[in-house]
Amino acid sequence: MRNRATTPLSKPKIRQSWSKYNLYNLNRIRNPPTANRTFFQQKWTAKAMARAYHGEQVRESQWTRMFSRRLRSVVPMSPWKMAQDDGSSMAAGRGSGLETDMRSRAADVRTKTPYTNMTFAPLERRLDVAIFRALFASSARQARQFVLHGAVTVNGKKMRYPGYLLNPGDMFQVDPERVMYATGAPKDKFERREARVERKKAVETEKKEEGEGEEAKEGEEAEAKETEEEKLDTRETLKRLLSQAKNIMGSNKDVLPAKRKQELRGFQKAVRRVMSKSGASTSTLTDNLETQFAELLKLLKATKIQPKEEKESKKENADAAAKSEPAETEATANASNPVDTKPTEALTEAFRQATQNPEGEVDTSELTEEELDVLKRALVQMRDNPIDHSKPYATPWRPRDYMSAFAFIPRYLEVNQNICAAVYLRHPVARPGHSEVPTPFGEAVSTAAFSWYLRRR
């Protein structure tokens, strides 16, 4: 939203924004002078004023292609009159003097339909303008930013094109957090400082957790490395045992009895079966095989192989549990002098106790019924609208300044503020006495602007 940069005080321009500068310009805007100016100059000035408000984020060439000479309007008809009319008045002919409702006819003549105020009606179909009209953004440019950042959906699908033209029945929805940021009051100096402190604490906590995570990761890597080494040692032991069994079978083939040969062959099969598995054999299987082979060597009067000791690598990772300190109960007001305590002070003290110690008891003996009701409503407000310094807007949430002057919703939109969604019901039309396209300019400016785009110079 361009305010002071492109809106000088000498030439006020109205924008689609809730800015205080825009509100000031609305107060001092006047119709452009027509004396000593040609019709071309009047049309150009009116066009410049109107385009500064209607679609100033749209290129002039794009808007020229959207412009249409056909302006939508409706004529209200009385259903009672239509029911009473049997067609005799039209059969009698015009000017027959049979008109009875001359008062309503004169009123219709006095109430003119502002057709030219519908000049910029095609721009109301744009998605960014519709978001601004539905009070989901504080300006048309902010609504455009929401669309480009992917915070808007149309008919349940994400829409990133702010110039999307809505059709009757389309539903668009904006992220509620974006709407609360757009329509909420900005933070003051104290709230910004609290937000910086919260961010600093969050960064320190994250670094601490990352350090603990790195230590745990290093411990896991060391443990995995030792496990891998243990698996390699186990496989080497099995290979050594298998090679020794082969040497015994080869060298003592004629000496060994048949039973011992059968036991060695069974042992070789068991070793190969263990080694053929995806993972290395466990320490328990290795110990059993080594014991079995040691017994075979003892029977053969060979050298005994000492079983290799299993490596133990167990590390305990201490989980740092955050100790939640209970909130300290604040001291209650001094009850020895109940006469000197004012009701407002008692209410303030009760509210402070309730907010600082939600689970504790609150002294409400000094409160009247009205003050107790105020306290309950304040606590409900604190529960539904809490203080959260991490939000980009001021909390507890409150409407932003200068919003009330722009808080209106056109007839062609049906808005649900609870879910931040709206439905584009139909295209805006003109009726006798008013136009459904919101515009701060009168009929003189709109007529001159419409004449400019007709290209009849």
Side-chain angles (χ1 to χ4, degrees):
M1 175 59 196
R2 298 171 293 180
N3 290 320
R4 285 176 285 188
T6 59
T7 308
L9 295 178
S10 59
K11 294 181 180 180
K13 292 185 178 180
I14 312 300
R15 307 288 190 184
Q16 290 183 352
S17 172
W18 300 350
S19 171
K20 59 182 179 181
Y21 305 103
N22 195 34
L23 186 61
Y24 174 67
N25 289 338
L26 277 173
N27 183 45
R28 67 192 187 102
I29 194 69
R30 297 294 183 271
N31 288 334
T34 58
N36 300 326
R37 289 195 177 186
T38 64
F39 187 46
F40 179 86
Q41 293 175 337
Q42 296 178 23
K43 291 190 298 182
W44 190 91
T45 305
K47 182 267 300 183
M49 294 178 59
R51 282 285 288 128
Y53 177 80
H54 293 282
E56 56 95 12
Q57 75 277 12
V58 184
R59 298 190 306 271
E60 183 68 14
S61 59
Q62 186 177 358
W63 154 242
T64 304
R65 292 192 299 268
M66 296 176 62
F67 173 75
S68 176
R69 298 184 179 184
R70 298 180 178 179
L71 305 178
R72 290 185 175 90
S73 62
V74 294
V75 178
M77 302 181 69
S78 174
W80 180 84
K81 185 177 180 180
M82 294 175 63
Q84 295 293 329
D85 188 9
D86 57 354
S88 59
S89 58
M90 297 184 65
R94 183 178 300 175
S96 59
L98 298 178
E99 295 288 343
T100 56
D101 196 1
M102 298 300 294
R103 182 179 301 176
S104 61
R105 182 180 179 86
D108 292 341
V109 171
R110 289 195 303 267
T111 306
K112 297 181 180 180
T113 302
Y115 293 102
T116 54
N117 286 350
M118 299 290 299
T119 303
F120 299 96
L123 291 172
E124 301 298 317
R125 293 182 59 188
R126 288 177 56 94
L127 181 59
D128 51 358
V129 177
I131 292 173
F132 171 72
R133 297 298 189 195
L135 306 182
F136 293 155
S138 60
S139 66
R141 288 188 173 269
Q142 189 180 49
R144 178 186 179 89
Q145 185 184 45
F146 289 169
V147 178
L148 293 175
H149 289 183
V152 181
T153 59
V154 177
N155 297 330
K157 296 182 180 179
K158 187 176 294 186
M159 176 59 64
R160 292 183 179 270
Y161 181 56
Y164 174 79
L165 298 181
L166 296 171
N167 295 316
D170 286 349
M171 185 186 75
F172 57 91
Q173 189 172 11
V174 187
D175 184 15
E177 282 294 325
R178 302 294 183 98
V179 177
M180 295 182 70
Y181 167 72
T183 59
K187 293 183 176 181
D188 54 13
K189 294 182 179 180
F190 172 75
E191 291 170 336
R192 288 196 294 269
R193 179 182 177 279
E194 292 295 330
R196 290 194 296 268
V197 172
E198 291 291 337
R199 286 196 297 268
K200 188 176 180 180
K201 290 182 179 178
V203 171
E204 293 177 355
T205 305
E206 185 177 357
K207 289 183 178 179
K208 187 176 180 180
E209 291 178 354
E210 287 180 357
E212 294 177 355
E214 290 179 358
E215 294 179 358
K217 187 177 181 180
E218 292 177 357
E220 291 177 358
E221 291 178 355
E223 185 177 354
K225 187 176 180 180
E226 292 180 358
T227 306
E228 188 67 24
E229 292 177 356
E230 180 183 355
K231 291 180 180 180
L232 293 176
D233 293 342
T234 304
R235 291 188 67 86
E236 292 296 331
T237 302
L238 292 175
K239 288 181 180 180
R240 188 173 63 253
L241 291 176
L242 186 60
S243 62
Q244 291 181 5
K246 289 181 179 180
N247 293 334
I248 293 174
M249 286 286 293
S251 60
N252 300 327
K253 185 177 182 181
D254 299 333
V255 181
L256 290 175
K259 188 175 181 181
R260 296 291 181 265
K261 291 181 181 179
Q262 186 178 3
E263 290 178 353
L264 283 174
R265 291 191 186 97
F267 175 73
Q268 290 177 357
K269 289 182 180 180
V271 172
R272 292 191 186 97
R273 186 166 56 251
V274 171
M275 293 180 62
S276 64
K277 294 182 178 179
S278 58
S281 61
T282 59
S283 59
T284 306
L285 291 176
T286 306
D287 293 341
N288 294 336
L289 291 175
E290 288 185 352
T291 303
Q292 182 181 1
F293 189 69
E295 291 178 357
L296 291 175
L297 292 179
K298 188 184 292 185
L299 293 174
L300 295 174
K301 297 180 181 181
T303 306
K304 183 179 179 182
I305 301 176
Q306 296 292 338
K308 195 173 184 178
E309 297 181 357
E310 183 183 0
K311 296 181 180 180
E312 298 181 358
S313 59
K314 297 180 180 180
K315 294 183 179 181
E316 298 180 357
N317 297 326
D319 298 334
K323 298 181 180 180
S324 57
E325 299 180 357
E328 297 181 358
T329 307
E330 295 292 332
T332 58
N334 189 7
S336 59
N337 297 324
V339 179
D340 298 336
T341 304
K342 296 180 181 179
T344 54
E345 295 179 358
L347 179 60
T348 304
E349 181 66 20
F351 182 74
R352 185 173 64 86
Q353 294 179 15
T355 52
Q356 295 183 358
N357 189 13
E359 298 180 357
E361 296 182 358
V362 181
D363 185 12
T364 58
S365 58
E366 300 180 2
L367 301 181
T368 61
E369 294 182 359
E370 292 78 6
E371 291 176 343
L372 186 60
D373 183 61
V374 171
L375 177 62
K376 289 180 180 179
R377 286 190 279 110
L379 294 178
V380 170
Q381 177 71 13
M382 285 295 297
R383 181 196 63 188
D384 298 338
N385 194 7
I387 298 176
D388 188 359
H389 297 294
S390 63
K391 301 294 184 181
Y393 46 85
T395 54
W397 187 91
R398 58 186 183 273
R400 60 177 297 168
D401 298 334
Y402 312 104
M403 178 181 175
S404 59
F406 308 96
F408 65 93
I409 298 176
R411 289 187 175 184
Y412 57 87
L413 290 178
E414 184 69 26
V415 181
N416 188 337
Q417 300 290 350
N418 296 327
I419 60 176
C420 299
V423 177
Y424 184 79
L425 299 176
R426 52 179 172 77
H427 301 309
V429 295
R431 300 175 183 273
H434 70 277
S435 171
E436 291 185 352
V437 175
T439 178
F441 307 107
E443 191 174 359
V445 176
S446 300
T447 302
F450 181 73
S451 301
W452 169 271
Y453 289 108
L454 286 178
R455 301 299 182 184
R456 294 177 181 175
R457 304 177 186 177

